[in-house]
Amino acid sequence: MKKLIQNWYLMVVAGIFLLAALILFGVGESSIISIHDNLDLFLAQFQMLKNTNSFFAHGVKAPFLGGISRDNLPSEFSLYSMLFFLMPSYQAYAAGYLIKIVIGLGSSLLLAREFCGDGYQKYRPLAWMAGLAYGILNVFPAFGIPFASIPLIVYLVRKLYRKPSFKWYVAVFFYPLLSYFSYFGLFILAYLAVAFLWLWVKDKKCPLRILIGIVALAAGYIVFEYRLFGVMLFGREETIRVTMEAGSFGAGEILKTMAEGFTKGMFHAESMHTYLVMPVCLFYFLYLNISYIKNKNPRGIFHEPFNLLMLALVFNSFVYGIYYCEPFRKVVETLCPSLTGWQFNRTVFFNPFVWYAAFFLALSRLYDKEEKSAVFFVVFKKIHVGEGMLWRYFANVLAVMAVLLILFSGTRYNDLYHTARAKAYEILKGKASNDLSYGEFYSTKLFELAKEDIGYEGEWSAAYGFHPAVLEYNGIATLDGYLGFYGQAYKEDFRKVIAPALERVPESREYFDTWGARAYLYSGTELSIVAAVRDYQVADHEIYINEDAFKALGGVYIFSRIELSNGEDVGLALVGTYEEESSPYVLYVYSCEQ
């Protein structure tokens, strides 16, 4: 029993991991899985690659957005892609979530052991809890593994600096299997370049081992993401990046964005640090630096690791905000035209790791309080505990609270929470919640039924009232789609199809013209008619498209969740209405009259 109590943190980790596995695999495709930038994007792309046997193919076109190069889609040489190649899509998604936890926890433990050295055993409970918190963060699912692996690259670089070995260079070379260049890799290389220069000044000699590590890491990214580099370096097609507008904020908005980046982060990298981790870190920051001044050691402030972490948070948040200063962005794009349209404010993606590293460091200092009689005030009464154990209990409680805050938060990408909530609602109310499950969102049986009935043989189609990803997942070639990197010429051709709708809704027109990643069939009256909910209702049943432009792109079918009231007026004939027991949709299939 005493050993179980001493290893309480292992039971917490095992319990949460088993809970996640039971929910994701036990509930299966009835799970409520986040849709935004997930089911409507990457999962459909992976299934499309599987449907067309194109994971490793070259010189082929993917059947969406009128046919784009396979090279524009995720590399096959990444751990996340390999999961979808080897497993059915839902099982791959669930496995990816669990692997993210393992990598986040494991890499955090490696880094903590390396950083703490001989004192690691003392801080072991904190290392496990902070690592668990980082591993279960509800971040952008498709890049959950790259997020989780950030402590690993820090660990490997520290190993190269302190004790270089061939095996560490090999590990650095293969690290991109867990990462993603345009979201993380370029920034990691930039951070390493800064570290290289700083160490050169600090040690007064060239840190050659770090330079070799940078070369090895860059080589790994080029090898494992060769498709991306091929498109970037040798692609001649003008892409939608040239017409993307990031926005131009005033000074007040920029400062507000910086503050939000620091205090809240952004939804792709929600770290839930606002309510506990940040207050603890800021309080400790003040206490620490006042102590340096009080002890007449102001120089210690500049050598304190905790202060370096806080400086990194400020820097990343500053870049996140300054990106929206148009003159500054123009300077960057002028100096490096290839970065036009690229979001270099993704430095904020690294803040979750820095916050939990700082949190661990602050709590570990509580462990170091070894006064013979620690004093703590509870309801105005003093409690005396020998050898500073009360501080350790307090640190442990804070660490557990940080984990629970993440677990029970209703954030966008918290699939465990939303699935458990939906199942509880179903039990208590006796009916399904309004959110669609993974299986319902894609409704494969319904679309197979429709495809068989109309004799579908790969004709170009579009979705109305659905995300095009639903069609892509079900093996239907789409003229519409969602991708942040495709040809500007195609965007202009597709715009002709949706021009009647864009002319009627200025907000949709600006959204498409200044971004364009979502090439959808837009409503002519509403901002959006795409809603993945069970209780689906729209006020306008008319569709606003240019029939001739649709035909010019080869369009034949429109798969609609809305029964169109003006189908015949725009040259669309209803060829079938379909329902299926396991699907919440009523599917209307229209054919373009030839």
Side-chain angles (χ1 to χ4, degrees), residues 24 58 78 121 143-144 187 247 440 467 483 493 502 517 528 566:
L24 290 173
H58 293 89
S78 78
Q121 287 303 320
F143 300 119
F187 298 98
E440 291 173 329
H467 288 283
L483 192 67
D493 288 339
L502 299 185
S528 175
N566 67 331

Side-chain angles (χ1 to χ4, degrees), residues 385-436:
V385 180
E387 296 301 319
M389 286 301 297
L390 184 58
W391 292 112
R392 296 193 187 191
Y393 293 144
F394 184 47
N396 291 339
V397 168
L398 289 175
V400 172
M401 287 176 62
V403 170
L404 295 179
L405 273 173
I406 297 166
L407 200 62
F408 291 105
S409 67
T411 54
R412 185 191 300 263
Y413 293 123
N414 193 343
D415 296 333
L416 300 182
Y417 172 87
H418 293 299
T419 297
R421 185 171 178 270
K423 289 303 171 185
Y425 180 90
E426 188 174 340
I427 292 171
L428 294 173
K429 299 290 186 178
K431 61 179 182 179
S433 71
N434 201 33
D435 296 321
L436 300 187

Side-chain angles (χ1 to χ4, degrees), residues 233-279:
L233 298 177
F234 305 109
R236 297 181 180 179
E237 182 182 41
E238 187 177 62
T239 72
I240 63 171
R241 293 288 177 177
V242 300
T243 54
M244 280 188 174
E245 296 180 15
S248 181
F249 290 178
E253 289 178 294
I254 291 172
L255 290 174
K256 181 182 177 182
T257 302
M258 291 176 182
E260 289 178 347
F262 184 86
T263 59
K264 299 178 182 179
M266 56 102 62
F267 72 86
H268 277 145
E270 288 182 297
S271 54
M272 290 300 298
H273 65 276
T274 308
Y275 307 104
L276 177 64
V277 172
M278 184 178 71

